[in-house]
Amino acid sequence: MNASASSVELEIGGMTCASCAMRIEKKLNKLEGVAATVNYATEKAKVTVPAGYEAAQLIAEVEKAGYTAALPSPREVKATPDEDPELSSLRQRLIISIILTVPVIAMAMIPALQFTYWQWASLALAAPVIVWGAWPFHKAAWTNLRHGAATMDTLISMGTLAAFLWSLYALFLGTAGMPGMTHPFEFTLSRSDGAANIYLEVGAGVTMFILAGRYFEKRAKRQAGAAMRALLELGAKDVSVLRDGVETLIPVDELRVGDEFIVRPGEKIATDGVVISGTSAVDASMLTGESVPVEVGPTDAVTGATVNAGGRLVVRASRVGADTQLAQMARLVEDAQTGKAEVQRLADRISGVFVPIVIGIAVITLAGWLIAGFPAAAAFTAAVAVLVIACPCALGLATPTALLVGTGRGAQMGILIKGPEVLESTRKVDTVVLDKTGTVTTGRMALVGVTAESGTDAGELLHLAGALEDASEHPIAQAIAKAATARIGAAQDGALPPVEDFTNIEGKGVQGVVDGHSVIVGRESLLADWGLALSPAVAEAKARAEHDGQTVVAVAWDGAARGILIVADTVKPTSAEAVAQLKKLGLHPILLTGDNEAVARRIAAEVGIDEVIAEVLPKDKVDVVTRLQHEGKVVAMVGDGVNDAPALVQADLGLAMGTGTDVAIEASDIALVRGDLRSAADAIRLSRKTLGTIKSNLFWAFAYNVAAIPIAALGMLNPMLAGAAMALSSVFVVGNSLRLRAFR
């Protein structure tokens, strides 16, 4: 980017399909020095402009193309976002259209229901659906027409209006309005002037099906902003600030740089700052991916939204509001969302060519019949039949039904797929980046080894150390206490012995009296303070464990070193099998983590991953994914923490473990409810199968239209046969989609 260039973000309104996004992008990119990307999914445009360029010029250009544009309003975080008026309007249109359309289709298809004047009842029910229900399509078609373009909306609008207007002609000027008129079942091809035929069920049915498709699509798109809300809600809401030595509770928004505030054990740190007094362990795993809590004391920096796991801290705020690390991560997520290439819906791509061709055929049909000397009524019938038969009824069902069945089956298996564009990504993915903590591993510290000095019983070592650590809140202490309870607590009714004279030695460990023994548990330096040392054999075991990235705790009692306890983040039992399944799908796995190289290598070797990228910050995770994409790889990312959210959005396919944070789940394309990595392989297989079904649905829906158009153009398609054929194509599409229910 040019040094004098700046970036402008616009919120775009009025887009109905991916071709709208392309049109706006083309329009903006024609301006001198402007580079724009328009994202249909998030309804945003990211525009790079030369210095001094006014946003008003960009907005005017977008409005010239027939859409609305505005600068984003200041971001507000709400626990429950307001109902989307556009989504509510779509839902309302859909429900009313279903209620009115079902009887119209039933009467047209079942001769037994065709009572005297049934055709007028059909008109009364169908008219509101075709005029009011389909209004968004008519409006978009008119906008496109004014700009010399044609989309799916054009075809839907023309088809439904043609069916409706012809039905009005047949009812008021033809013979269709006569008492006792019926639509018999005729499976013969015969010419007619069409003055006795009505097509109301076609107009209303198409509107209902397409509205259903649009509603489900809009609902999926609305999730795009949820990642941002979830990320910003992670921070603390209130903070205890010290003013003139007095502790006052204020909303976190009122905190200023330089303010000193208190963080008690278990509380979230309100903002980025520096510790003034107190020592503690801070759990930063949700931001950094580092599984071991970080020991902090005076002069150490701490990050907002991380959790104080140990003692009381007094912190001086160094960054607040939009400057904090959390806010910067929110921007990363937003940038990645806006920068994601717009989704080219397959149906939209084909319709770009299909729509003008169908309109052309209808015009040629009309002219051909008139030139051949046929009556105007017969010529119009044939032309209208072309538009009606080409109107994409099965096409409207092709994506939503497969998506509905596929996502429903996924939900039963604990796999939540968030929209049609997700499926497109799974087909091309060739590289899978796996976060370590909480994805491949459990994300929780656990005891993995006990090494006792000669003459000391390992059971007693764990028993005494576990009892002492049970009195501490530190996550490593809790892992030791839990192991002691599980291993030797059962024999004592699950209770560890009580501790007397418990003392926490800041940054080093703990000491106290257990069962009459004076016990010390902590760093090796704490034992050295008492003049105690580990034997060469145990010291060597400690060095080996630390080389593998494990955490080692030394234990002594009654004036002698007694051994070590080894604690580490443990691999999930199913992770190795999951990696094998991902490889079988043709994917290259990479382990990506904020943890140190030694830990990452040990975990990777355990599960069968060859490539490791370790010690990366949240921002670097995005850079790693971007670098892989620049190398031509199509990347899937599997993660569970806040630190993974920007990378999940940047990846071509983001999969979040359901056991992780809400932010990661919202930022992902697929959420895996079970915290089992094997479901990532299942998700990719199911997505590929669902995409295959959508493609076969689209093929048959178009094949049916293409085959039926010549028959309609020759005037050999009566409305009953057209209706039956259309219903049959829809039934085929639904039946094909239902096969996904058998996915294993």
Side-chain angles (χ1 to χ4, degrees):
M1 196 198 294
N2 183 319
S4 60
S6 61
S7 193
V8 177
E9 194 179 82
L10 296 176
E11 288 177 351
I12 307 291
M15 294 193 289
T16 57
C17 61
S19 49
C20 297
M22 277 168 39
R23 195 168 319 123
I24 297 166
E25 199 169 290
K26 212 179 275 180
K27 195 100 174 152
L28 289 171
N29 284 329
K30 278 183 184 167
L31 299 172
E32 197 178 336
V34 171
T37 55
V38 179
N39 187 322
Y40 168 58
T42 58
E43 297 179 337
K44 284 184 179 168
K46 197 167 187 184
V47 193
T48 305
V49 294
Y53 213 93
E54 291 292 325
Q57 293 170 260
L58 301 173
I59 292 170
E61 205 61 34
V62 174
E63 285 171 350
K64 270 190 223 164
Y67 303 91
T68 63
L71 291 166
S73 50
R75 192 184 296 133
E76 285 179 38
V77 183
K78 294 177 184 162
T80 49
D82 294 337
E83 178 66 53
D84 184 337
E86 199 179 334
L87 193 68
S88 300
S89 164
L90 260 177
R91 189 191 303 120
Q92 192 182 18
R93 280 180 206 276
L94 175 61
I95 292 167
I96 293 170
S97 297
I98 291 170
I99 293 166
L100 297 176
T101 303
V102 170
V104 175
I105 294 174
M107 285 189 284
M109 296 290 164
I110 305 166
L113 299 178
Q114 294 170 4
F115 56 89
T116 313
Y117 298 121
W118 70 274
Q119 67 272 45
W120 296 100
S122 283
L123 176 64
L125 292 169
V129 178
I130 297 168
V131 177
W132 173 80
W135 178 248
F137 311 133
H138 304 322
K139 190 178 163 193
W142 174 244
T143 303
N144 291 328
L145 183 65
R146 284 189 5 241
H147 296 94
T151 63
M152 271 318 241
D153 291 314
T154 313
L155 197 53
I156 295 161
S157 179
M158 285 187 72
T160 52
L161 287 177
F164 182 58
L165 294 172
W166 187 259
S167 300
L168 289 179
Y169 162 79
L171 284 168
F172 288 100
L173 301 174
T175 55
M178 305 294 280
M181 186 280 270
T182 58
H183 269 179
F185 266 118
E186 287 176 2
F187 288 103
T188 55
L189 296 177
S190 59
R191 283 203 173 94
S192 84
D193 67 356
N197 299 332
I198 59 172
Y199 298 85
L200 292 167
E201 79 284 359
V202 175
V206 166
T207 301
M208 179 182 76
F209 287 129
I210 306 286
L211 273 175
R214 285 280 162 90
Y215 172 71
F216 289 120
E217 177 188 48
K218 179 74 185 169
R219 202 172 63 172
K221 267 172 59 180
R222 192 165 175 273
Q223 302 303 318
M228 200 64 54
R229 286 194 294 274
L231 190 53
L232 292 168
E233 280 167 19
L234 264 184
K237 304 292 181 284
D238 298 304
V239 56
S240 295
V241 72
L242 285 172
R243 297 222 165 120
D244 302 322
V246 180
E247 198 178 314
T248 316
L249 192 69
I250 61 165
V252 78
D253 298 344
E254 293 175 18
L255 200 59
R256 298 287 169 261
V257 172
D259 279 349
E260 291 181 11
F261 60 93
I262 292 165
V263 191
R264 293 180 176 80
E267 288 183 346
K268 286 178 181 171
I269 295 171
T271 193
D272 299 0
V274 176
V275 177
I276 302 299
S277 68
T279 60
S280 180
V282 173
D283 180 0
S285 60
M286 38 88 77
L287 279 174
T288 63
E290 179 72 56
S291 51
V292 181
V294 183
E295 300 285 348
V296 295
T299 74
D300 287 334
V302 289
T303 308
T306 55
V307 179
N308 177 14
R312 178 182 183 273
L313 295 174
V314 178
V315 180
R316 180 180 292 128
S318 58
R319 288 186 294 199
V320 295
D323 299 326
T324 63
Q325 195 174 334
L326 186 67
Q328 286 166 2
M329 287 181 69
R331 277 200 294 280
L332 281 175
V333 172
E334 190 163 44
D335 290 349
Q337 278 183 340
T338 311
K340 206 174 210 178
E342 72 283 343
V343 178
Q344 287 288 336
R345 295 283 198 286
L346 193 59
D348 279 325
R349 285 212 297 275
I350 300 171
S351 70
V353 181
F354 185 67
V355 176
I357 289 173
V358 169
I359 294 168
I361 292 170
V363 171
I364 291 165
T365 301
L366 178 68
W369 278 67
L370 290 172
I371 290 165
F374 286 94
F380 274 110
T381 302
V384 168
V386 168
L387 285 177
V388 169
I389 204 74
C391 195
C393 179
L395 199 60
L397 282 172
T399 303
T401 54
L403 197 65
L404 217 58
V405 180
T407 52
R409 180 70 192 114
Q412 288 173 342
M413 298 168 65
I415 298 163
L416 306 178
I417 301 169
K418 296 195 180 172
E421 63 276 13
V422 173
L423 308 174
E424 195 70 49
S425 313
T426 59
R427 183 171 56 91
K428 305 172 192 148
V429 165
D430 53 25
T431 304
V432 59
V433 175
L434 303 170
D435 168 56
K436 180 186 76 69
T437 310
T439 303
V440 175
T441 67
T442 60
R444 290 184 300 276
M445 305 304 280
L447 185 77
V448 294
V450 179
T451 305
E453 293 282 3
S454 177
T456 302
D457 176 62
E460 188 184 10
L461 179 73
L462 181 56
H463 179 71
L464 294 176
L468 185 60
E469 291 283 49
D470 196 34
S472 169
E473 291 176 341
H474 196 290
I476 291 173
Q478 288 300 304
I480 293 169
K482 189 177 174 187
T485 305
R487 188 161 157 187
I488 57 176
Q492 322 229 347
D493 301 323
L496 291 165
V499 180
E500 296 165 30
D501 300 331
F502 177 83
T503 310
N504 181 22
I505 298 141
E506 291 177 351
K508 290 197 172 183
V510 290
Q511 66 185 52
V513 178
V514 183
D515 283 350
H517 300 286
S518 179
V519 184
I520 301 167
V521 181
R523 296 178 187 272
E524 195 176 1
S525 60
L526 179 59
L527 270 65
D529 290 347
W530 291 83
L532 307 175
L534 297 169
S535 66
V538 175
E540 192 184 327
K542 175 180 180 287
R544 271 199 311 273
E546 286 175 339
H547 178 264
D548 287 342
Q550 295 167 323
T551 302
V552 179
V553 176
V555 183
W557 67 79
D558 296 346
R562 304 290 179 169
I564 56 170
L565 301 170
I566 302 166
V567 177
D569 184 8
T570 52
V571 172
K572 290 180 183 175
T574 56
S575 291
E577 186 188 338
V579 169
Q581 288 178 0
L582 291 165
K583 285 180 175 176
K584 206 172 168 185
L585 284 169
L587 305 176
H588 171 64
I590 299 172
L591 189 69
L592 179 68
T593 178
D595 233 332
N596 68 58
E597 185 88 23
V599 176
R601 291 273 166 212
R602 174 175 61 80
I603 301 288
E606 212 172 312
V607 296
I609 296 174
D610 301 321
E611 192 173 342
V612 174
I613 304 170
E615 297 173 26
V616 286
L617 296 169
K619 184 187 181 309
D620 300 334
K621 287 193 175 187
V622 179
D623 295 341
V624 168
V625 171
T626 309
R627 175 173 59 76
L628 290 167
Q629 288 168 328
H630 286 160
E631 287 170 10
K633 296 183 171 72
V634 182
V635 181
M637 166 86 191
V638 189
D640 77 319
V642 177
N643 58 308
D644 303 316
L648 285 169
V649 180
Q650 177 61 41
D652 300 283
L653 179 70
L655 298 100
M657 306 299 271
T659 47
T661 61
D662 289 347
V663 180
I665 292 165
E666 294 292 2
S668 66
D669 301 307
I670 298 177
L672 310 171
V673 177
R674 308 192 315 268
D676 185 339
L677 190 56
R678 288 177 302 182
S679 53
D682 289 339
I684 290 171
R685 282 195 306 116
L686 174 63
S687 298
R688 286 178 176 177
K689 187 104 172 88
T690 307
L691 181 69
T693 303
I694 288 174
K695 291 199 162 177
S696 62
N697 282 351
L698 290 171
F699 170 79
W700 286 111
F702 273 115
Y704 148 78
N705 282 337
V706 170
I709 286 169
I711 300 170
L714 293 170
M716 298 170 73
L717 207 58
N718 70 50
M720 203 59 215
L721 197 59
M726 191 170 274
L728 206 64
S729 73
S730 301
V731 167
F732 171 80
V733 161
V734 173
N736 190 37
S737 299
L738 287 173
R739 292 189 310 134
L740 284 168
R741 286 200 303 199
F743 179 85
R744 290 281 173 272

